[in-house]
Amino acid sequence: MIIVMNARATQADVNHVVDRVKELGLKAHLSQGVERTIIGVIGDERLLKKEQFSLLPLVEDVIPILKPYKLASREFRRENTVVDVAGVKFGDGRLAVIAGPCSVESEEQLLTTARAVKDAGAGLLRGGAYKPRTSPYAFQGLGEEGLKLLAVARQETGMGIVTEVMESSDVDLVARYADLLQVGARNMHNTKLLRALSGVGKPVLLKRNFAATLNEFLMSAEYLLSGGNANVILCERGIRTFVEYTRNTLDLNVVPAVKQLSHLPIIVDPSHGTGRHDFVLPMSRAAVAAGADGLMIEVHPHPAEAFSDGEQSLTPDAFANLMREVREVERALHVTAGA
Ligand code: PEP
Ligand code: MN
C-alpha cells in the first residue's frame, strides 16, 4: 500500500510512520516528490491494514496498490524513474543508445566496434562475455577474459559497459567490470539471480523473456526493486509467436503498456526482436516513435564473420545511418509534441 504524507509533514513525521512500518515487520520504500513524501509499504499482505497507518499524525491518505507488482507500479510512483548509467540517462525524455557486438571476440573486434559506435553517437558499449547459447557446441563467450577486454574498451573510449550476467555466482565478478548488468531473456524468471542483483549496487537491464506476459515481466522487475535496487531498465527483445519470417516478434505494444503501468524506463532491442539486419532500422524507427526510452543495437565490423548473431548485426556504417535516422524521428516527435 501507499501512505501519502501531508505536504506539511516534517522529516520527523515521516520517520515516525517508517518506524511503525518496521515495527510491524514490513518494509518502507520512500519516494520523495516535489510536494510530498510517499511511503510504499511492502510485505506480508495479511499485515497490511489501512487503519494501522491512517490515524498516524500527518498521514493524508492510505491507498492500496491493486497491481501484484507494487514498487514497479505507476501507482507507487507517478514520475518517471530516470536511471543514470555512467552519465547516460534512461527515462529523461532523450533517447539512450547501447550498441556493440553480440559477443566480445577479440581486442581488435571490440575496439574497432567501440570507436565506431561512439563516433556515431552511441552512449554505452555492449558486448557479451558470458553467452547463453541454444547449442552447447556454439561459442559460449570469453568469460572473464571478455570482461577484461570490455574494461580496455571503456578505458579507450570512456563509454560505460553493458554486459550479461548469467549466474548468481558470477554477479560480483561481472559487477566489477560492468556499469549496467544485463539479465538475458532466458534468465528473466531466474529469481535467485534477480535476488543477487538486487543488492549489487549497480543498475540492471532486465530483458523480457520470449514467453513472458507483461505481468510476469514487471514481477521480475519487482524482485529487483523490492530487494533494494531502484535502478532497473526494462528491455523488450521480441516474443515467440507463430511468425517464422523473423527470429522473434517485436512486441512494440509493450512500450506504451509499460509507460501506463510502470514508472520504469523501457528500451527496445530490435536486433534480437527481428533477427534480421535489414529489419533493424525500420523497427528502431518504430520503437522510438512508440515512445521507447532507448535502443540496444548489435554492431559488428564484419557481420559475416561474427561468432554469434551475425545475421542481425549492423556494420558500423549501417549503424551510423541508423543513428541519424532515429535522431530525426526523435526530433519529429518533439516538434509534434510541442506544437
Ligand atoms: C543478447 O543481448 O546478446 C542476448 C543474448 O539477448 P536475449 O537474452 O534477449 O536473447
Ligand atoms: Mn546477440
Side-chain angles (χ1 to χ4, degrees):
M1 62 174 59
I2 297 166
I3 302 174
V4 183
M5 298 301 291
N6 187 285
R8 287 183 291 111
T10 62
Q11 193 57 50
D13 298 318
V14 173
N15 291 346
H16 182 58
V17 177
V18 170
D19 288 346
R20 185 75 193 113
V21 169
K22 288 187 186 155
E23 272 165 32
L24 290 164
L26 300 162
K27 261 192 180 172
H29 291 261
L30 256 59
S31 169
Q32 203 83 50
V34 192
E35 289 250 311
R36 56 187 80 231
T37 301
I38 288 173
I39 305 166
V41 183
I42 306 296
D44 187 337
E45 283 166 8
R46 288 164 302 181
L47 299 172
L48 291 175
K49 298 218 177 62
K50 184 171 175 167
E51 315 77 65
Q52 280 164 331
F53 305 105
S54 54
L55 297 176
L56 295 177
L58 278 299
V59 167
E60 188 159 292
D61 207 357
V62 179
I63 309 163
I65 302 179
L66 300 175
K67 296 284 188 302
Y69 41 87
K70 309 290 178 192
L71 301 172
S73 75
R74 269 253 185 247
E75 294 166 79
F76 173 61
R77 199 181 139 89
R78 252 176 287 165
E79 313 90 63
N80 291 332
T81 286
V82 178
V83 179
D84 187 317
V85 183
V88 176
K89 295 197 168 58
F90 292 76
D92 73 342
R94 285 267 298 154
L95 191 75
V97 180
I98 303 169
C102 178
S103 302
V104 177
E105 298 170 6
S106 68
E107 181 165 332
E108 216 229 307
Q109 170 248 17
L110 187 64
L111 289 181
T112 308
T113 316
R115 290 189 191 110
V117 299
K118 186 180 182 191
D119 286 350
L124 298 172
L125 176 69
R126 65 150 285 150
Y130 296 92
K131 296 302 304 176
R133 304 304 302 281
T134 304
S135 165
Y137 310 117
F139 178 59
Q140 306 284 311
L142 295 179
E144 189 170 359
E145 186 51 37
L147 297 175
K148 288 185 178 151
L149 293 178
L150 286 164
V152 172
R154 176 174 42 208
Q155 185 72 30
E156 282 274 318
T157 63
M159 296 176 99
I161 298 301
V162 186
T163 198
E164 177 161 353
V165 55
M166 285 172 57
E167 293 181 41
S168 46
S169 53
D170 288 340
V171 165
D172 289 343
L173 172 69
V174 178
R176 262 184 259 140
Y177 294 90
D179 297 286
L180 175 61
L181 290 116
Q182 174 173 321
V183 174
R186 290 156 192 80
N187 266 320
M188 189 209 85
H189 292 293
N190 183 342
T191 52
K192 190 171 175 207
L193 177 62
L194 297 174
R195 280 218 180 84
L197 286 166
S198 69
V200 77
K202 291 214 169 164
V204 173
L205 179 66
L206 178 65
K207 298 190 86 175
R208 180 187 184 184
N209 178 264
F210 20 77
T213 62
L214 173 53
N215 191 61
E216 289 165 341
F217 192 17
L218 292 173
M219 288 307 276
S220 288
E222 189 77 12
Y223 266 92
L224 295 163
L225 298 173
S226 65
N229 194 338
N231 292 311
V232 178
I233 302 165
L234 303 170
C235 179
E236 163 61 28
R237 46 77 71 211
I239 51 171
R240 193 63 66 81
T241 69
F242 59 84
V243 164
E244 33 53 70
Y245 62 92
T246 50
R247 182 177 180 184
N248 291 288
T249 297
L250 192 62
D251 177 22
L252 289 183
N253 290 333
V254 87
V255 173
V258 162
K259 291 280 160 207
Q260 269 180 15
L261 296 171
S262 178
H263 51 86
L264 295 173
I266 177 159
I267 70 167
V268 171
D269 167 1
S271 304
H272 293 88
T274 65
R276 294 177 54 157
H277 66 91
D278 52 340
F279 283 13
V280 170
L281 171 62
M283 295 315 284
S284 296
R285 289 193 292 231
V288 176
D293 295 299
L295 294 170
M296 182 153 82
I297 310 286
E298 287 188 340
V299 179
H300 195 285
H302 308 287
E305 288 155 32
F307 291 2
S308 59
D309 288 351
E311 60 291 348
Q312 68 193 34
S313 298
L314 299 187
T315 61
D317 281 351
F319 177 69
N321 181 51
L322 178 144
M323 287 301 289
R324 283 188 291 272
E325 296 248 357
V326 295
R327 293 289 181 216
E328 285 292 324
V329 177
E330 216 192 351
R331 255 194 298 279
L333 289 172
H334 288 140
V335 170
T336 317

